[in-house]
Amino acid sequence: MKTIRTPRFLQAICLFFFVAALSGCSIYKFNDASIPPDVKTIKVGFIENRARYVNPQVSPQLTTKLTQIITSRTKLSLTNNDDAHYVISGQITNYDGTQTVGVSGQQSTTNRLTVTVHIVLRKTLKNITDEFDVTRNFDYDGRLQFQDAEAKLLDEIIRNVSDEIFNHIFSNW
């Protein structure tokens, strides 16, 4: 019996048409982001720190990181216009350190920094506003001073909170 082999260029053409057919859906996905096809622009406002305790580095770094994630993971065009198709604004409402796990001697062994960000997403094309909170806890060694723990945790805080905001907005959570 003779085996029939399909030329590689024919396989490549079939693969191309298959991928093209999938991309013709009504919502495109780019790195797990679900965005309606009519949404083309986004404005990311400065995320203000309105918590009782203010770390002056968190607001600007969180705003910058969220903007970077959106522009790198979606095809949306960044704008400063209030009539952008998506307008994101927000504020840090909680930034607080507490003792959490175990007490050894007179000192807790683990402390926790809790960060909460309130986000407002305005979808101008549909005249819809969605508000949600993102809260993340970050544990640190209870022997560290709070400011030292903040310095060690800052990159993780910014990365995790901005990822969670992105996922909530673009991954249909």
Side-chain angles (χ1 to χ4, degrees):
M1 184 189 282
K2 188 174 186 180
T3 305
I4 299 174
R5 295 189 57 126
T6 307
R8 291 210 183 267
F9 76 91
L10 188 55
Q11 290 174 341
I13 289 172
C14 289
L15 180 62
F16 171 77
F17 282 115
F18 178 72
V19 171
L22 287 178
S23 66
C25 298
S26 63
I27 294 178
Y28 70 83
K29 289 182 178 260
F30 185 76
N31 284 347
D32 296 329
S34 297
I35 304 169
D38 55 340
V39 175
K40 306 285 185 207
T41 60
I42 190 162
K43 176 183 179 183
V44 180
F46 185 74
I47 298 173
E48 298 180 45
N49 196 336
R50 302 240 172 141
R52 185 172 44 97
Y53 173 82
V54 175
N55 177 331
Q57 298 177 44
V58 176
S59 286
Q61 287 188 29
L62 182 59
T63 304
T64 299
K65 183 66 172 179
L66 181 59
T67 303
Q68 289 172 345
I69 288 173
I70 290 169
T71 56
S72 68
R73 295 183 188 174
T74 72
K75 295 179 182 178
L76 297 177
S77 297
L78 194 61
T79 181
N80 286 325
N81 296 330
D82 288 331
D83 63 347
H85 298 152
Y86 280 4
V87 178
I88 299 171
S89 59
Q91 58 187 357
I92 299 165
T93 57
N94 184 32
Y95 188 92
D96 194 24
T98 58
Q99 292 183 352
T100 59
V101 182
V103 176
S104 171
Q106 293 288 349
Q107 187 170 356
S108 66
T109 56
T110 304
N111 288 338
R112 175 170 290 161
L113 172 59
T114 302
V115 179
T116 302
V117 180
H118 181 76
I119 296 292
V120 178
L121 170 63
R122 210 167 34 99
K123 299 177 179 180
T124 61
L125 295 176
K126 294 184 179 182
N127 199 24
I128 296 172
T129 300
D130 180 24
E131 296 189 40
F132 60 92
D133 290 325
V134 170
T135 299
R136 295 293 301 230
N137 295 313
F138 303 91
D139 291 340
Y140 62 94
D141 188 330
R143 295 171 294 192
L144 289 175
Q145 293 293 322
F146 183 69
Q147 289 76 14
D148 295 334
E150 281 183 293
K152 286 185 172 193
L153 291 171
L154 187 60
D155 288 341
E156 181 182 354
I157 292 167
I158 300 302
R159 183 180 61 254
N160 288 341
V161 172
S162 57
D163 278 342
E164 192 161 331
I165 293 168
F166 177 89
N167 289 334
H168 187 95
I169 294 170
F170 296 107
S171 295
N172 294 325
W173 279 21

